Amino acid sequence: MSTKNFASQADLEEKKVSFVQLSPNAYAYTAEGDPNTGIIIGDDCVMVLDTQATPVMAQDVIRRIREVTDKPIRYVLMTHYHAVRVLGASAYGAEHIIASQDTRDLIVERGEQDKASEIGRFPRLFRNVESVPPGLTWPTLTFSGKMTLWLGGLEVQLLQLGRGHTKGDTVAWLPQQKILFSGDLVEFDATPYAGDAFFKDWPRTLDNIAALAPEQLVPGRGAALTTPEQVQAGLAGTRGFIADVYANVQAGVAAGEDLNTVYRRTYAAMAPKYKGWVIFDHCMPFDVTRCYDEVTQYPDPRIWTAERDVEMWKSLEGV
């Protein structure tokens, strides 16, 4: 492998945004593999799912919403805690920011470190970062397991179906329309980031999503999936990637290999199938490091700091 720039600091190309209507109530704001935002329009208000990384970037989401409705944006949902998903929240002026209690616990434990780490990794995704208010994005409502909201006559279920991308993952489910917003539990033609993941749990959580039989799905990254066949492809692709990382790392650990050797062998084994996916080179060092931790001695993800990011990258990529 050739020497790579740290994380995605060299990724500067702007992406084309799409705003796709899935039903009279559901929209997907997607950008060629950049983080997605979901929009649910009820009878009396709007819910935004994942906010974009800065308030300035969120303004484009708001502009699109205002093209289709003038109803107030009452709720923001954090499907999980990562800075790139939540730091734009202040732009929406929502009455409530909702998250699982597990997600709030992550903010308490590692919010500041995560913020510094992510901004350093991927500058393009934090355009106009100076517009982010000081401090962190805190939920005003938390729940465990399940919360049901009624936006007039529209039922919105917020569900924790298991750990995967993080311990706090939440999906939003519209049972009347069989539309699911998965956050980063599901990606489509985009590499799952698994630096804070639970590899053993993630496939079971995907099975729980599949059991709902969604007919449309908005993934964390990638195009909106608008048929049951596309939904199945998104679930299968994500499940396959996570399983392949885990199997390669587990085999390396069983053979007594160190992290550097495991990384290089896993990268070589997976590149032919997955290298065309968005942010493959960005994610793989973090994914393999976390998987190696889980297989060896750290059942829970360690905190990524800006310093740990750079040390890991230098070790694995030889920069």
Side-chain angles (χ1 to χ4, degrees), residues 172-240:
W173 173 235
L174 304 183
Q176 296 156 323
Q177 299 176 3
K178 292 203 168 287
I179 297 172
L180 188 126
F181 298 81
S182 70
D184 281 323
L185 279 169
V186 181
E187 314 288 23
F188 186 65
D189 286 345
T191 309
Y193 171 73
D196 298 306
F198 292 83
F199 277 85
K200 293 178 184 177
D201 291 5
W202 201 331
R204 290 194 296 270
T205 302
L206 293 173
D207 290 343
N208 292 336
I209 290 176
L212 293 172
E215 295 177 0
Q216 299 187 82
L217 187 149
V218 180
R221 291 176 182 264
L225 308 176
T226 58
T227 67
E229 293 76 22
Q230 289 179 353
V231 171
Q232 289 302 315
L235 290 168
T238 304
R239 184 186 289 106

Side-chain angles (χ1 to χ4, degrees), residues 243-302:
D244 286 350
V245 173
Y246 188 79
N248 277 283
V249 171
Q250 192 174 41
V253 170
E257 297 173 354
D258 65 8
L259 173 59
N260 198 292
T261 304
V262 168
Y263 172 65
R264 294 184 179 279
R265 192 173 50 72
T266 301
Y267 183 102
M270 295 186 63
K273 184 174 181 180
Y274 299 107
K275 191 170 173 58
W277 284 11
V278 173
I279 63 171
F280 178 78
D281 282 348
H282 170 93
C283 289
M284 281 297 288
F286 297 99
D287 292 3
V288 173
T289 299
R290 167 56 196 149
C291 191
Y292 188 90
D293 274 3
E294 184 173 337
V295 170
T296 55
Q297 59 179 320
Y298 297 101
D300 294 308
R302 290 188 286 159

Side-chain angles (χ1 to χ4, degrees), residues 43-56:
D43 296 334
D44 52 359
C45 66
V46 177
M47 172 183 283
V48 172
L49 304 93
D50 295 329
T51 71
Q52 298 293 301
T54 69
V56 166

